[in-house]
Structures are given as C-alpha cells and as structure tokens.
Amino acid sequence: MNAHERWIVLQGAANVRDLGGLPTADGGTTVPGRILRSDNLQGLTDGDVALLVGDLKLRHVVDLRSETEVRLEGPGPLILLPEVGIHHHSLFAEGGHLTDVEADTIDDRTLPWQGEREEEALAELRVTGYYYGYLRDRPDSVVAALRVLARDDGLAVVHCAAGKDRTGVVSALALAVAGATREAIIGDYVATGERLEGILARLRASRTYRDDLDSKPVDSHLPRPEYMNQFLTTLDDRFGGPLGWLRTHGWTDADTEALRGRLRD
C-alpha cells in the first residue's frame, strides 16, 4: 500500500486515512483495513456511511472530542446505526475551552482553552511539548481509546476535530505498539498537512472552531515533524518509550498482543 492508497476519499470528511501500509522496525508493514484516523465525522453523507459501514465494515468509532464539542457539533450520522459503537474518550480535562486547534504553538502566552498556567507548568510544556499534556491529563482516555482500537470485530476509526493533534497522538501510540518505525510514525502525523486546506475549510464553516482558526495564520496549523518527535522523545526519556508509559497506566501484555494483532498479521 503506497501513501496515496492510504487515503480514504469521502465527501463529508477531509482527513481520513488508513494506518496500514507503514514500515515496521522488524522489516514488515502494518496491515490495512483495520484502523483509520479521521477528522470530524458528523458531516458524512449517505454515500460516505455506505462506504465506511457497508463496504469497509466500520464497527467502532473512537471520538476524542470534548463533551462541549460533541454537544455543539453533534455526534454525526453514525450514531444512528446499531452496528456501529460510538466510544467517547475526551483527551481534555473537561470544563476547559472548546478545542485544541492552537495546540502546535507553545510559548509564554496563556493557552486559550485552559486558563492561566503557572510558570512551572509552562516550563514543563517547553520540555515535553503540548502533546504529552494529553497523556498527563487524560491517561484513562488514552488507554481506553487504544483498547477500543484493539478490538477485532471490524474496522475502527479514531477522530477528533481536525484529525491532527489528539488523533495524531493516539495514532502514534497505536503505531508504536504495532512496531512501526519512528520515521513512519512521524511521517503519518505529517501527512495531515497534505489535506490541511480542506480540513481548515471544514472547521471554519463551524462556529465552534472558526474564531480559534482565524486568530492564527494558516501555516501555524501545519503538523511539523518536530512536534511529534518531541512527543516521542519525551516518552523515550521518561518511560523508555510509549509502551513504558502505557504500562504505568494499566496497559497489559494482553493489550499489546491485541493491538499488535490488529495492525500486524
């Protein structure tokens, strides 16, 4: 499976691709047709639903959006289908602001959805990057999301709003468990940039996200390799890698075997 074949073309979503077809450290590749990553799914057309559920056998949706986002945007048409399970695992400590569209910029400014931060917390963010904050704030959701992706009863998709930040973190962890190379994990993260124009157009059509997006230049939303590299380096330095972090939060060898079994033959 080449890079072009990994994309799933839908009318109602702009950033949908397969986690299959990526190289692994032992010389293999991840298996396609098991796990997808995506942006918002509430705009899916009837044809999109037919493709995902009928043709591709989608059975599980992992929704990483906040409770506020789900309330304002709606859960989407897939919730109406009894054969599809919707699993909501927000990566925010609920009660904050709406979105993480500004997650890529870390500096001394107050992050708009989380209120003021102490200098100690800001110093920590400079070292770890913003993405590690998801793991620190919601380890329960991260582990639960990965366990859903490990189920073997049909295709699963993980998504947030843009399919870049929150989805990027969970997808990176899933690929790491499957043994994907660091270069492949970073490359998969960066691939969202190929669809950035369409992603931003969809989000700007929503009042939920428009103000956050319009407050920054377009190129500030690019998924840059250094962001994912910083996240992975933090896990390496502090836990010996993604599996080390997972084990400290209840992840078992059986969980690893199940998720690897999904993405590896």
Side-chain angles (χ1 to χ4, degrees):
M1 172 180 277
N2 60 40
H4 178 75
E5 292 172 332
R6 294 180 57 226
W7 291 101
I8 308 295
V9 179
L10 301 176
Q11 291 184 314
N15 188 23
V16 187
R17 61 184 178 276
D18 203 310
L19 292 188
L22 295 173
T24 58
D26 61 2
T29 57
T30 54
V31 178
R34 307 281 177 81
I35 300 175
L36 306 180
R37 56 178 294 170
S38 179
D39 53 338
N40 271 354
L41 295 174
Q42 72 265 14
L44 296 180
T45 66
D46 290 345
D48 295 336
V49 173
L51 172 63
L52 289 172
V53 180
D55 297 344
L56 300 180
K57 307 303 180 187
L58 177 66
R59 293 298 179 265
H60 295 285
V61 175
V62 177
D63 186 347
L64 303 176
R65 295 177 299 165
S66 68
E67 293 176 4
T68 302
E69 288 171 278
V70 174
R71 175 173 56 83
L72 293 177
E73 292 289 288
L78 293 174
I79 199 171
L80 302 175
L81 303 179
E83 63 266 45
V84 178
I86 308 296
H87 310 268
H88 182 226
H89 297 296
S90 172
L91 295 196
F92 283 148
E94 296 290 356
H97 286 245
L98 301 180
T99 76
D100 60 349
V101 296
E102 292 190 352
D104 295 333
T105 299
I106 299 299
D107 56 25
D108 290 348
R109 297 174 304 167
T110 298
L111 298 176
W113 62 94
Q114 295 179 313
E116 294 186 3
R117 288 183 179 270
E118 300 293 334
E119 177 57 34
E120 182 178 354
L122 288 169
E124 168 79 354
L125 283 174
R126 295 187 195 101
V127 173
T128 66
Y130 180 81
Y131 291 159
Y132 179 69
Y134 297 139
L135 275 61
R136 183 188 58 245
D137 294 342
R138 293 305 302 266
D140 56 330
S141 287
V142 173
V143 171
L146 291 170
R147 284 177 172 153
V148 173
L149 297 181
R151 298 185 186 186
D152 64 357
D153 57 342
L155 182 72
V157 60
V158 56
H159 80 94
C160 53
K164 175 171 69 78
D165 300 315
R166 292 167 284 185
T167 298
V169 165
V170 172
S171 296
L173 292 174
L175 289 169
V177 171
T181 66
R182 190 186 189 97
E183 292 76 15
I185 293 171
I186 293 174
D188 175 66
Y189 166 74
V190 170
T192 287
E194 299 175 27
R195 301 298 171 93
L196 189 62
E197 182 178 354
I199 296 166
L200 296 182
R202 291 191 69 235
L203 293 176
R204 283 198 174 95
S206 166
R207 294 177 61 186
T208 306
Y209 305 107
R210 187 181 304 126
D211 289 345
D212 283 346
L213 289 169
D214 288 345
S215 69
K216 294 176 63 181
V218 171
D219 65 358
S220 68
H221 300 293
L222 280 170
R224 303 182 189 279
E226 55 265 31
Y227 301 149
M228 182 54 63
N229 186 62
Q230 183 180 25
F231 169 66
L232 295 173
T233 297
T234 296
L235 296 185
D236 290 343
D237 292 346
R238 297 190 175 192
F239 302 96
L243 275 173
W245 180 87
L246 285 166
R247 292 189 187 104
T248 66
H249 292 89
W251 188 259
T252 66
D253 290 343
D255 290 325
T256 295
E257 183 179 355
L259 187 51
R260 281 183 62 89
R262 288 285 286 161
L263 284 170
R264 303 291 303 276
D265 277 339

